[in-house]
Amino acid sequence: MSEGTMQRRAERDQGVQRAKRLHRVLVCAAAVPVMLIAAGCSSDSGSGDSGSGSGGDKAAGAGATVSASASAAPTVQAAAYKSLPESCGVLSSKTLKSLVPKAAKSGKKGTSEAGTRGSCSWSSLDNNGVKGSQFRWLNVSLLRFESDTSRGTGEAQAAKYYEQQIQDAQSVAGAKNAKSQTVSGTGDAATLVRYDLKKKEGSFKQQTVVTRVENVVVTVDYNGAGLAGDKAPSADTLAKLAERAAKETVTAVSAANGEGAASPAPSDSASGSKAPSKSASPSASKSATESASKSASPSKSAAKKS
């Protein structure tokens, strides 16, 4: 091989080596911007995620604020009882016959407001002629309290009114031999207040039973007197009858709100199946009944319900 030929081959080999090095440089140069771009995108993506997270946190915070505001709005537990029974229909004819045997077929309805308050009263005068007469007066009152954010739950309001009614019954002017005792098995709470009260018509034996059942307060005022020389009735007997009326009224309240069975309301056939015996003096009996009825409500609690 000639020297010239060897020189040309060497130059050719050197050219090939230079071309390879140049190719590697170009490839590396092209790779650097791609890496930088990738890094930049990665950085932007991270920044964007952070921003999105911040926005999400703000949105979550706003939602929490709205939720907190909503939960902060005042609320109160709904009242248990939504209605009341008809006041003149809470007692059965049998019970009325025991408490006010000579009363009219239907009671006298007092001031009422459907579903909120009601009252009914009965007067009975058993005229025994020259031996005198036995007078009985019964009043049943019902008051229902609705829950209110400013006044509290219906039950709490009823509990407060229950205590007030007891105090009113205990503070009647002129009351003698006053006693108070708890009554069991009647509503959520029940108290009997009893005392004697001297009136011009005679000496009255007053029995007041105040009962609370859920958000309803029931007040039963019952009294009796021996008039025109007849002997005074037994206070213990009157008390038992008043408690019986209170229990039956509570049952009627529960039944009116879908609990238990309703007590049968007095019907014309039931209450009037037996004609009341004629009194010795019908005109005198009517006059005495009207006179005694006017003074038969010695307790403040009965007057407040009308």
Side-chain angles (χ1 to χ4, degrees), residues 152-174:
T153 64
E155 184 176 343
Q157 294 177 66
K160 183 177 180 179
Y161 185 72
Y162 165 78
E163 296 295 340
Q164 179 186 324
Q165 286 292 88
I166 295 174
Q167 293 177 11
D168 286 347
Q170 293 171 332
S171 61
V172 172

Side-chain angles (χ1 to χ4, degrees), residues 26-114:
L26 292 176
V27 170
C28 290
V32 171
V34 172
M35 294 175 64
L36 291 176
I37 292 172
C41 291
S42 176
S43 176
D44 289 345
S45 175
S47 176
D49 290 346
S50 176
S52 174
S54 176
D57 291 343
K58 289 180 180 179
T65 301
V66 172
S67 177
S69 298
S71 62
T75 59
V76 64
Q77 184 178 358
Y81 288 160
K82 300 297 183 182
S83 62
L84 291 176
E86 177 62 37
S87 58
C88 290
V90 294
L91 301 177
S92 66
S93 58
K94 182 178 179 180
T95 297
L96 287 171
K97 190 71 174 177
S98 298
L99 276 78
V100 282
K102 303 300 180 182
K105 293 180 180 180
S106 59
K108 181 180 179 181
K109 191 173 183 179
T111 302
S112 64
E113 185 177 344

Side-chain angles (χ1 to χ4, degrees), residues 210-227:
V210 184
T211 305
R212 181 187 68 80
V213 54
E214 297 290 356
N215 55 307
V216 175
V217 176
V218 172
T219 303
V220 173
D221 280 293
Y222 181 54
N223 61 46
L227 306 179

Side-chain angles (χ1 to χ4, degrees), residues 130-300:
V130 295
K131 294 181 179 180
S133 58
Q134 285 292 318
F135 176 76
R136 301 289 186 272
W137 181 79
L138 170 67
N139 186 84
V140 177
S141 300
L142 307 97
L143 188 60
R144 186 183 70 85
F145 293 86
E146 190 59 75
S147 295
D148 184 88
T149 54
S150 60
R151 293 190 295 270
T153 64
E155 184 176 343
Q157 294 177 66
K160 183 177 180 179
Y161 185 72
Y162 165 78
E163 296 295 340
Q164 179 186 324
Q165 286 292 88
I166 295 174
Q167 293 177 11
D168 286 347
Q170 293 171 332
S171 61
V172 172
K176 302 293 184 182
N177 306 317
K179 297 179 182 179
S180 298
Q181 62 190 63
T182 301
V183 178
S184 61
T186 304
D188 297 311
T191 299
L192 166 67
V193 180
R194 51 194 293 187
Y195 53 82
D196 299 334
L197 194 64
K198 187 71 175 179
K199 292 283 186 177
K200 64 180 181 179
E201 294 83 8
S203 180
F204 290 81
K205 302 290 185 179
Q206 173 70 29
Q207 317 295 321
T208 298
V209 181
V210 184
T211 305
R212 181 187 68 80
V213 54
E214 297 290 356
N215 55 307
V216 175
V217 176
V218 172
T219 303
V220 173
D221 280 293
Y222 181 54
N223 61 46
L227 306 179
D230 204 349
K231 65 179 182 180
S234 166
D236 289 340
T237 299
L238 295 181
K240 290 179 181 179
L241 289 171
E243 291 176 17
R244 174 180 170 182
K247 290 180 180 180
E248 198 164 302
T249 303
V250 167
T251 299
V253 171
S254 297
N257 289 274
E259 296 181 7
S263 300
S267 61
D268 291 348
S269 58
S271 59
S273 57
K274 292 183 180 180
S277 58
K278 294 182 180 180
S279 59
S281 176
S283 60
S285 173
K286 181 178 180 181
S287 177
T289 301
E290 292 176 349
S291 177
S293 296
K294 290 180 180 179
S295 60
S297 178
S299 67
K300 297 179 190 176

Side-chain angles (χ1 to χ4, degrees), residues 4-23:
T5 300
M6 294 179 61
Q7 183 176 357
R8 284 194 297 275
R9 180 178 292 180
E11 289 176 353
R12 186 172 61 251
D13 292 340
Q14 288 178 357
V16 171
Q17 292 298 326
R18 283 196 299 270
K20 288 182 178 181
R21 285 197 298 272
L22 178 59
H23 176 73

